[in-house]
Amino acid sequence: MFGLIPKEEKFFAMFRDMSHNIIEGAQLLKDMLDNFDDPVASQRKIKEVEHKGDTITHDIIKKLNKSFITPFDREDIYALSAALDDILDLIDASAQRFVMYNVEKPTPESKELAFLILKSCQTIDKTVALLGGKLEPISAYCIEVNALENEADRVCREAISRLFDEEKDPIQLIKWKEIYETLETATDKCEDAANILESVVVKNA
């Protein structure tokens, strides 16, 4: 059994706050696409969550700069906070594109990608919850995030392939290609965070 040095446990709580906030943003994005009644209002709520995430990230960095002893490597704390912040930035960027491009109706593929983003964020949250305790299960969760990213990559590729086969309007093609790629990039960012968490496990084994 192994764990992280139980010093400055406030970091663990702050990372948990951040991962809970990310789930809130991912759930709002999924709800936005499932019930596309008022995308502008939905995007506004996501932006508020993204602002809260920026504040938590800022607080983590501020605490890191003031802490003499940290529970794991300083560069990993910085990298993890940045990676988690990136996930929320991409969730917000995805929501923005539906509003900016005046999308009338989400496609089944965009809804599936939003579902995969939420699943990835929920898995990241389970991983972050283990910081400060037994780290062994983290590797299994990281594998799960990787599998979800691979699935999102497949959905995105097939969606773009279908666009080029079926979409005759070049403007619509450009819009939807960017939307699909932005949604898929959110799962890439989840994988980045998972890789950092797995690195923490290896270093603290």
Side-chain angles (χ1 to χ4, degrees), residues 60-158:
I60 290 172
I61 301 305
K62 193 161 69 174
K63 181 160 186 60
L64 182 61
N65 291 335
K66 290 181 178 178
S67 298
F68 180 65
I69 297 173
T70 57
F72 52 102
D73 285 355
R74 304 179 80 86
E75 61 265 28
D76 289 331
I77 291 174
Y78 182 82
L80 181 58
S81 62
L84 293 172
D85 188 51
D86 284 346
I87 297 169
L88 209 41
D89 286 346
L90 264 294
I91 288 170
D92 178 47
S94 298
Q96 281 182 32
R97 276 155 179 76
F98 281 92
V99 174
M100 187 168 64
Y101 294 150
N102 295 310
V103 170
E104 291 180 13
K105 183 183 175 185
T107 60
E109 293 92 342
S110 64
K111 289 182 182 182
E112 188 172 358
L113 285 166
F115 170 75
L116 290 168
I117 291 168
L118 177 58
K119 290 289 287 181
S120 298
C121 292
Q122 288 169 339
T123 308
I124 289 291
D125 182 61
K126 290 176 192 171
T127 312
V128 167
L130 294 171
L131 293 175
K134 294 176 184 175
L135 301 183
E136 294 96 328
I138 284 180
S139 292
Y141 286 137
C142 291
I143 290 167
E144 189 179 331
V145 172
N146 180 256
L148 288 163
E149 192 279 329
N150 288 340
E151 178 63 10
D153 194 42
R154 181 194 64 77
V155 172
C156 183
R157 275 198 320 269
E158 290 180 2

Side-chain angles (χ1 to χ4, degrees), residues 107 109 158-170 172-173 180:
T107 60
E109 293 92 342
E158 290 180 2
I160 291 172
S161 177
R162 207 175 74 151
L163 264 183
F164 279 96
D165 283 344
E166 299 177 6
E167 184 56 67
K168 305 305 176 194
D169 182 346
Q172 288 299 317
L173 191 150
Y180 290 141

Side-chain angles (χ1 to χ4, degrees), residues 149-201:
E149 192 279 329
N150 288 340
E151 178 63 10
D153 194 42
R154 181 194 64 77
V155 172
C156 183
R157 275 198 320 269
E158 290 180 2
I160 291 172
S161 177
R162 207 175 74 151
L163 264 183
F164 279 96
D165 283 344
E166 299 177 6
E167 184 56 67
K168 305 305 176 194
D169 182 346
I171 300 298
Q172 288 299 317
L173 191 150
I174 291 166
K175 282 183 184 180
W176 276 106
K177 182 175 181 292
E178 186 175 335
I179 289 169
Y180 290 141
E181 288 174 342
T182 307
L183 287 163
E184 197 278 326
T185 304
T187 65
D188 289 342
K189 297 300 180 184
C190 289
E191 188 177 37
D192 289 347
N195 290 339
I196 294 162
L197 286 159
E198 198 160 27
S199 168
V200 169
V201 172

